[in-house]
């Protein structure tokens, strides 16, 4: 009897739970009160097509908030909300065609439901979407690891009823995954007002990736400044010290420590670049790959070649193949680093169109000036060394000629002395005879 009652209660609870449905909620860790809720009706889940329900909520002081389908904003439909002049909210369904190119799309069948508006300092949008079960690539959104993205802009609220109004860049954005199978159930026309729907906070079970745009911008600037300083200014400039001050102390007391500093700057700049690529999930590409190889060679290989050459120079006093390789490899690495910096601007434009046009122009002008200065100093040192060699050769010949004249004078004196001695002997012989 007790067993039968237990089975009956279990089956009843399952049926009631399925009838009531479920609402799952995700709260971004840096959202400041932003939340996103989901419900998938039973009919929609079984057909993999139909209506879904979403709720976007945020403090009323937010300028706007958005929820996007897919890991990136360009993956599917975007639901953007902001306060309306009449005290309610404006829902602007949009599509993204890039990082900042977000446009109103009237083909998205999304509508506001009862309960939407600004109440008690909270902006809420209850949304029904009739054609949002699939991403732009045809994949459906269902699954235990459904990908979504979100963004918000803080500051003075954007109050407008224009669904196509231009928006400011977000301050915080991110992505997260959901087990949408936990949101299946019920067939209510407005589940967010149905008190029989249980709510579940699935934030602890979601894989999230949150990006603070201010911090991201600082890291991008640090990477874009430190790596050019290392490869455009420090490596070539400190290499020129050997041409400007060619003394036996220049290598150990100037060239080596300064190049170590340059390598550290390049390594730190690479670290900022890696952090940016991890934030944007763009670790692959020609620009980062070249950067990894460049910094690896600069930090690990180039110093070893220089040390081997210096040890050989201390023993023999002459240069070797290692010295030539160290010099030309350094020049090659600097040249590739300069080119990769230019490629970096192009690479960044493909993913973040908000880069102003002035920095690439300044970068090109500085690179051109450094290249001309480097060639001038190298040619100047070569010409000066050649002139010094000619002067030294002339001085050597002059000393050799002077030495020859002195030797000839000594021979003449010895010859004259011998002649005198001979005449004296003859005179003695004559007197004796």
């Amino acid at each position: 009897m007790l067993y039968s009652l237990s089975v009956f209660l279990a089956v009843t609870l399952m049926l009631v739970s399925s009838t009531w449905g479920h609402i799952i909620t995700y709260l971004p860790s840096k959202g400041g009160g932003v939340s996103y809720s989901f419900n998938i009706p039973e009919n929609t889940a079984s057909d993999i097509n139909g209506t879904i329900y979403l709720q976007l909520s945020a403090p009323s002081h937010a300028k706007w908030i958005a929820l996007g389908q897919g890991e990136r904003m360009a993956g599917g439909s975007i639901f953007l909300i902001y306060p309306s002049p009449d005290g309610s909210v404006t829902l602007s369904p949009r599509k993204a065609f890039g990082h900042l190119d977000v446009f109103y799309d009237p083909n998205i069948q999304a509508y506001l439901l009862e309960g939407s508006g600004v109440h008690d300092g909270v902006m809420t949008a209850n949304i029904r979407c009739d054609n949002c079960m699939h991403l732009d690539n045809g994949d459906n959104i269902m699954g235990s690891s459904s990908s979504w993205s979100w963004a918000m802009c803080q500051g003075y609220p954007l109050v407008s009823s224009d669904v196509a109004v231009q928006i400011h860049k977000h301050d915080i954005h991110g992505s997260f995954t959901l087990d949408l199978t936990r949101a299946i159930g019920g067939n209510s026309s407005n589940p967010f007002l149905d008190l029989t729907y249980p709510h579940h906070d699935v934030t602890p079970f979601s894989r999230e990736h949150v990006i603070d745009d201010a911090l991201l911008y600082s890291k991008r600037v640090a990477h874009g400044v430190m790596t050019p300083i290392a490869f455009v200014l420090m490596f070539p400039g400190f290499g020129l010290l050997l041409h400007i001050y060619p003394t036996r102390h220049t290598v150990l007391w100037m060239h080596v420590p300064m190049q170590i500093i340059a390598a550290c700057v390049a390594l730190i700049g690479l670290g900022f670049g890696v952090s940016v690529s991890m934030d944007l999930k763009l670790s692959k590409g020609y620009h980062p790959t070249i950067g990894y190889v460049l910094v690896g060679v600069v930090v690990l290989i180039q110093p070893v070649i220089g040390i081997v050459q210096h040890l050989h120079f201390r023993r023999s006093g002459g240069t070797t193949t290692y010295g030539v390789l160290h010099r030309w490899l350094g020049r090659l690495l600097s040249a590739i680093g300069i080119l990769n910096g230019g490629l970096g601007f192009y690479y960044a434009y493909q993913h973040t169109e908000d880069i102003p046009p002035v920095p690439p122009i300044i970068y090109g002008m500085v690179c051109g000036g450094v290249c001309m200065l480097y060639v001038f100093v190298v040619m100047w040192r070569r010409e000066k060394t050649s002139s010094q060699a000619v002067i030294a050769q002339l001085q050597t010949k002059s000393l050799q000629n002077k030495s020859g004249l002195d030797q000839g004078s000594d021979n003449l004196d010895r010859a004259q002395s011998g002649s005198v001695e001979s005449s004296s002997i003859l005179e003695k012989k004559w007197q004796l005879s």
Side-chain angles (χ1 to χ4, degrees):
M1 181 68 180
L2 183 60
Y3 174 76
S4 300
L5 182 60
S6 299
V7 173
F8 174 77
L9 289 175
V11 173
T12 302
L13 287 173
M14 291 177 62
L15 291 175
V16 171
S17 177
S18 176
T19 303
W20 282 347
H22 301 274
I23 294 175
I24 61 174
T25 301
Y26 165 75
L27 296 89
S29 59
K30 295 182 179 181
V34 174
S35 67
Y36 301 99
S37 300
F38 306 79
N39 171 255
I40 310 295
E42 290 181 43
N43 296 338
T44 301
S46 59
D47 296 338
I48 314 297
N49 195 21
T51 299
I52 65 172
Y53 295 94
L54 310 167
Q55 184 185 75
L56 282 63
S57 179
S60 58
H61 58 74
K63 190 181 291 292
W64 58 260
I65 65 169
L67 174 68
Q69 295 179 307
E71 186 178 6
R72 299 182 182 278
M73 284 290 184
S77 300
I78 298 174
F79 309 94
L80 179 73
I81 66 168
Y82 39 87
S84 179
D86 59 2
S88 61
V89 296
T90 300
L91 169 63
S92 175
R94 302 197 177 200
K95 288 286 186 180
F97 302 96
H99 188 68
L100 296 178
D101 299 329
V102 182
F103 301 101
Y104 169 68
D105 186 355
N107 295 317
I108 302 176
Q109 300 172 18
Y111 312 96
L112 285 175
L113 302 176
E114 185 182 355
S116 301
V118 179
H119 308 288
D120 299 326
V122 178
M123 177 174 58
T124 304
N126 297 329
I127 303 171
R128 186 190 85 230
C129 186
D130 296 334
N131 63 345
C132 296
M133 276 296 291
H134 294 84
L135 303 178
D136 293 343
N137 60 7
D139 294 341
N140 69 77
I141 64 172
M142 292 302 299
S144 59
S145 185
S146 180
S147 296
W148 296 77
S149 55
W150 68 278
M152 70 174 297
C153 182
Q154 299 171 328
Y156 191 76
L158 171 64
V159 180
S160 175
S161 58
D162 182 5
V163 294
V165 68
Q166 185 176 3
I167 61 174
H168 297 275
K169 185 177 182 297
H170 46 66
D171 298 316
I172 303 175
H173 71 285
S175 60
F176 61 96
T177 60
L178 289 175
D179 182 1
L180 280 184
T181 60
R182 300 182 61 179
I184 297 175
N187 287 297
S188 173
S189 60
N190 193 346
F192 303 108
L193 296 184
D194 194 330
L195 299 180
T196 64
Y197 276 58
H199 292 250
H200 305 281
D201 182 4
V202 296
T203 305
F205 310 101
S206 302
R207 295 196 309 270
E208 72 168 6
H209 182 70
V210 180
I211 301 172
D212 185 327
D213 287 274
L215 180 59
L216 175 63
Y217 178 79
S218 298
K219 291 189 289 188
R220 285 171 52 194
V221 171
H223 172 70
V225 170
M226 297 185 73
T227 46
I229 285 178
F231 284 97
V232 179
L233 299 179
M234 300 181 77
F235 285 129
F238 296 158
L240 287 178
L241 290 176
L242 297 175
H243 297 274
I244 299 175
Y245 303 105
T247 67
R248 62 189 183 92
H249 299 294
T250 303
V251 173
L252 285 180
W253 297 105
M254 297 179 68
H255 179 72
V256 171
M258 290 183 176
Q259 293 291 38
I260 291 176
I261 294 174
C264 291
V265 172
L267 194 60
I268 296 173
L270 175 66
F272 281 115
V274 171
S275 180
V276 170
S277 65
M278 292 177 63
D279 285 342
L280 301 178
K281 297 183 178 181
L282 298 171
S283 57
K284 296 181 180 179
Y286 51 86
H287 174 70
T289 301
I290 295 174
Y292 298 148
V293 175
L294 272 177
V295 177
V297 174
V298 165
V299 174
L300 299 177
I301 298 178
Q302 183 73 338
V304 174
I305 300 176
I307 291 173
V308 172
Q309 158 59 21
H310 182 67
L311 294 176
H312 182 275
F313 180 82
R314 291 184 61 181
R315 290 195 303 266
S316 62
T319 186
T320 65
T321 305
Y322 295 105
V324 176
L325 178 62
H326 179 74
R327 180 167 62 252
W328 283 101
L329 180 60
R331 294 172 177 173
L332 178 63
L333 293 175
S334 295
I336 296 176
I338 291 173
L339 293 175
N340 195 43
L343 292 176
F345 284 106
Y346 178 74
Y347 182 78
Y349 271 122
Q350 292 179 318
H351 306 287
T352 52
E353 298 90 341
D354 57 334
I355 298 177
V358 176
I361 297 175
I362 296 176
Y363 178 80
M365 295 174 62
V366 172
C367 290
V370 169
C371 290
M372 289 188 292
L373 177 64
Y374 190 92
V375 172
F376 172 78
V377 172
V378 171
M379 297 302 294
W380 167 76
R381 172 50 59 188
R382 187 172 298 177
E383 182 67 23
K384 188 172 183 178
T385 302
S386 177
S387 301
Q388 291 174 346
V390 170
I391 293 174
Q393 186 177 6
L394 292 175
Q395 290 176 346
T396 302
K397 288 183 178 180
S398 176
L399 290 174
Q400 290 177 349
N401 292 335
K402 184 177 180 181
S403 176
L405 290 173
D406 293 342
Q407 185 177 2
S409 176
D410 293 341
N411 291 337
L412 179 60
D413 291 339
R414 284 196 297 269
Q416 291 177 349
S417 176
S419 175
V420 171
E421 289 181 358
S422 298
S423 61
S424 176
I425 292 172
L426 289 175
E427 183 177 359
K428 287 181 179 180
K429 286 183 178 182
W430 179 80
Q431 289 177 351
L432 288 173
S433 61

